[in-house]
Amino acid sequence: MQRFIEALATIEVREDATRLFHGRGGYYPGCEHLCLDWFAPVLLLTSFTPLDAAELAECQQAITARWQVIQPNRPLNLVYQYRSGGETFSQVLAGEVPDPHVVTENGAQFQVHLLRGQNHGLFLDMANGREWVRAHARHKKVLNLFAYTCGFSVAALQGGADEVVNMDMSKGALAIGKQNHLLNGFSAGARFLGHDIFKSWGKLRKLGPYDIVVADPPSNQKGSFVATKDYVRLIRHLPELLAENAEVLLCLNAPELDTQFLRQQVEDAAPALEYLERLANPAAFVDVFEEKSLKVLRYRLKA
């Protein structure tokens, strides 16, 4: 725990949601199982191996001490979450969690839920992807595949997109996405389609073509998407959805699959797409082994 405790001495909190300690990046040997996130006004301590009572108490004591230094006039709200495979255990260690819980990122508001499952409603490592969409969406038609709670859609409308089509199998996630749009004052401009993408190509073609397509699928979710077999099926259909000079963001968050895996899939299934760059991840998510971190690859339809 010592490296974690030492790192706490450097953390600061602002209003936007962000990661504060990224043990999984490998820069803190012995603390690879620990992460600390800020979902204002709550700190979330996550461990990927179980902490015994003494270890958890040591973490809580160190976090409390740092909080008293950086925010002496605000109460500490601290949640602990242990993740093991598909199982999640969550516990409020101090203070409380607001309900509803709304956080901010680059001027946008998003509803999150820290006490239900592993996905909290906003993937913090995708902040740069959302920022890229915000910066390039003006007067564009955007397709947001595997939309989840529609963070990319909110960013696109912030950036002046003409229209966004959001598609995801989870109607529950899309319902939160609709709330996120209303939180940000967007009562129009977005569609929310609760369909299986692989059974909806005709509908997507009819609603297109699109100037920007974002695909951010789960890496291994049975019944929905398994990257090793399903990504190529997705990529094969992309060119038929694209407008002239359209751009595509392909996202992959699977430590076992590297950039070359995704680039080869595109080369084989959609050679009309030209590789441009890999977007940098937020600095808070720096990783000793960069290929294990989130991959966001940018493509353009060749002229």
Side-chain angles (χ1 to χ4, degrees):
M1 292 294 169
Q2 192 56 39
R3 289 181 181 269
F4 173 67
I5 294 171
E6 290 171 358
L8 286 178
T10 66
I11 69 165
E12 300 286 346
V13 297
R14 296 176 176 82
E15 288 310 309
D16 277 4
T18 189
R19 176 147 295 181
L20 301 175
F21 179 83
H22 186 55
R24 301 194 85 189
Y27 278 95
Y28 302 93
C31 297
E32 292 85 353
H33 57 301
L34 292 176
C35 294
L36 184 66
D37 294 318
W38 172 237
F39 291 91
V42 183
L43 288 169
L44 173 67
L45 173 67
T46 303
S47 179
F48 294 86
T49 62
L51 300 179
D52 62 33
E55 291 172 324
L56 185 56
E58 185 178 10
C59 285
Q60 182 174 354
Q61 182 179 11
I63 292 169
T64 301
R66 180 58 182 169
W67 184 260
Q68 290 171 347
V69 171
I70 62 176
Q71 296 287 328
N73 299 316
R74 295 174 71 177
L76 170 64
N77 301 308
L78 176 62
V79 170
Y80 167 63
Q81 185 173 91
Y82 161 56
R83 299 186 187 183
S84 176
E87 296 184 3
T88 305
F89 167 80
S90 302
Q91 177 184 0
V92 178
L93 297 180
E96 60 186 9
V97 178
D99 185 20
H101 186 179
V102 176
V103 299
T104 63
E105 180 191 85
N106 289 329
Q109 298 184 78
F110 299 99
Q111 185 170 311
V112 297
H113 43 84
L114 303 187
L115 300 177
R116 301 199 307 271
Q118 298 185 2
N119 297 331
H120 308 308
L122 184 68
F123 294 116
L124 300 180
D125 56 352
M126 194 56 80
N128 288 0
R130 288 186 288 270
E131 181 55 35
W132 184 91
V133 169
R134 183 182 293 108
H136 294 84
R138 187 166 181 79
H139 300 316
K140 301 292 179 62
K141 187 167 189 175
V142 180
L143 175 61
N144 185 21
L145 297 174
F146 306 94
Y148 186 44
T149 57
C150 305
F152 279 111
S153 182
V154 169
L157 291 173
Q158 275 189 307
D162 288 341
E163 183 182 358
V164 185
V165 175
N166 297 286
M167 182 172 282
D168 197 289
M169 285 180 66
S170 172
K171 291 181 173 63
L174 288 178
I176 296 173
K178 291 178 183 179
Q179 294 174 26
N180 284 336
H181 282 73
L182 295 176
L183 277 173
N184 290 281
F186 300 124
S187 57
R191 296 173 183 258
F192 306 90
L193 306 178
H195 304 312
D196 182 340
I197 289 166
F198 291 107
K199 297 178 182 178
S200 305
W201 299 119
K203 187 172 189 65
L204 290 174
R205 283 194 300 271
K206 184 177 179 180
L207 293 172
Y210 308 93
D211 303 295
I212 295 175
V213 175
V214 179
D216 185 18
S219 59
N220 188 8
Q221 185 173 309
K222 290 181 180 179
S224 172
F225 193 94
V226 177
T228 50
K229 68 181 183 69
D230 290 327
Y231 225 134
V232 69
R233 297 172 59 209
L234 170 67
I235 291 167
R236 190 176 294 123
H237 286 277
L238 289 178
E240 66 197 50
L241 303 176
L242 301 178
E244 186 178 356
N245 295 319
E247 299 203 35
V248 179
L249 292 186
L250 298 178
C251 310
L252 178 64
N253 202 353
E256 71 279 8
L257 299 174
D258 60 12
T259 303
Q260 187 54 39
F261 162 80
L262 197 48
R263 292 190 64 176
Q264 190 64 53
Q265 299 268 298
V266 177
E267 186 176 325
D268 292 343
L273 295 180
E274 175 188 11
Y275 174 75
L276 298 177
E277 64 173 334
R278 176 182 175 182
L279 299 189
N281 289 327
F285 287 86
V286 63
D287 201 303
V288 171
F289 301 103
E290 188 62 22
E291 284 299 322
K292 290 188 175 183
S293 64
L294 170 67
K295 275 87 53 183
V296 180
L297 305 189
R298 178 178 160 227
Y299 284 85
R300 177 182 294 133
L301 183 65
K302 294 178 183 176

